């Protein structure tokens, strides 16, 4: 629905643009730039790489395969959508802003790392931390004026679908180890 609204110039897109133009620039770049940078390949991928290395060391080859495939799918899905929809950015006439690649990179890297590491943690802090980092990335991108809010939300939806099979598999695997009764 989000992609359709953005591509068809629907009412949700109009609201999106009005909201963005009201909020952009009201928070200093010194605060928003580091948040937006969380979605940079050079920041997010090393986090995922460390989790992948640890999971491989622990023998979770199939889980690593799921995660790596999800990350590979980010540019495979995001780049064509950017080209087809060709949405201009909030502060530029240049196109190709929907969906947000930085948001997609952050979500798959941080949430994928959390899914890989959670089985080895005594406390379940990895996924909440990953979600906070992903949310912070989106907020930074929007407040800085690099993306419209729907660019970010569209990426969250897309990447949620990429991570869902791995997440469901992880959940089933964890619950099958939990004693019942």
């Amino acid at each position: 629905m989000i992609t359709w609204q953005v591509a068809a110039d629907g009412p949700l897109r109009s609201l999106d643009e009005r909201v963005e133009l009201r909020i952009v620039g009201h928070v200093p770049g010194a605060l928003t730039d580091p948040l937006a940078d969380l979605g940079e390949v050079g920041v997010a991928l090393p986090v995922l790489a460390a989790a992948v290395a640890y999971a491989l060391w622990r023998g979770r080859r199939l889980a690593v395969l799921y995660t790596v495939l999800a990350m590979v799918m980010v540019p495979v899905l995001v780049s064509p959508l950017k080209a087809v929809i060709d949405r201009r950015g909030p502060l530029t006439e240049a196109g190709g802003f929907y969906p947000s690649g930085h948001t997609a990179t952050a979500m798959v890297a941080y949430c994928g790392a959390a899914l890989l590491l959670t089985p080895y943690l005594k406390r379940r802090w990895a996924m909440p931390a990953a979600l906070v980092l992903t949310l912070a990335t989106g907020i930074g991108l929007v407040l800085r004026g690099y993306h419209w809010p729907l660019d970010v939300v569209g990426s969250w939806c897309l990447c949620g679908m990429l991570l869902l099979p791995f997440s469901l598999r992880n959940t089933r695997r964890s619950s099958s180890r939990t004693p019942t009764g």
Side-chain angles (χ1 to χ4, degrees):
M1 184 178 98
I2 293 168
T3 301
W4 166 66
Q5 284 290 297
V6 170
D9 202 14
L12 196 55
R13 177 179 171 160
S14 298
L15 174 64
D16 179 51
E17 292 175 358
R18 284 193 310 271
V19 167
E20 172 66 11
L21 294 175
R22 284 211 167 101
I23 64 174
V24 69
H26 289 288
V27 178
L31 203 59
T32 57
D33 282 346
L35 297 178
D37 288 346
L38 290 170
E40 289 283 338
V41 170
V43 176
L45 285 188
V47 172
L48 180 60
V52 161
Y54 184 77
L56 281 173
W57 178 67
R58 296 294 301 251
R60 293 193 67 209
R61 288 185 286 282
L62 188 56
V64 166
L65 178 63
Y66 282 143
T67 308
V68 170
L69 284 176
M71 185 52 77
V72 166
M73 291 305 295
V74 167
V76 168
L77 294 172
V78 170
S79 295
L81 278 170
K82 284 179 174 282
V84 168
I85 294 174
D86 199 31
R87 186 179 195 190
R88 70 172 181 80
L91 302 177
T92 180
E93 291 300 315
F97 282 78
Y98 180 90
S100 166
H102 283 79
T103 301
T105 299
M107 184 168 182
V108 172
Y110 300 133
C111 293
L115 286 166
L116 288 171
L117 296 177
T118 294
Y120 307 108
L121 302 172
K122 290 182 183 177
R123 293 200 174 107
R124 303 293 186 202
W125 56 265
M127 189 54 73
L131 292 172
V132 166
L133 290 171
T134 302
L135 180 64
T137 302
I139 289 170
L141 291 166
V142 169
L143 291 176
R144 188 69 177 114
Y146 294 143
H147 279 285
W148 304 100
L150 286 180
D151 299 349
V152 170
V153 174
S155 284
W156 288 337
C157 293
L158 178 67
C159 293
M161 290 188 309
L162 283 176
L163 291 169
L164 185 63
F166 180 28
S167 177
L168 291 174
R169 184 181 181 284
N170 245 19
T171 302
R172 281 195 306 269
R173 189 171 179 226
S174 295
S175 65
S176 69
R177 289 190 210 154
T178 306
T180 57

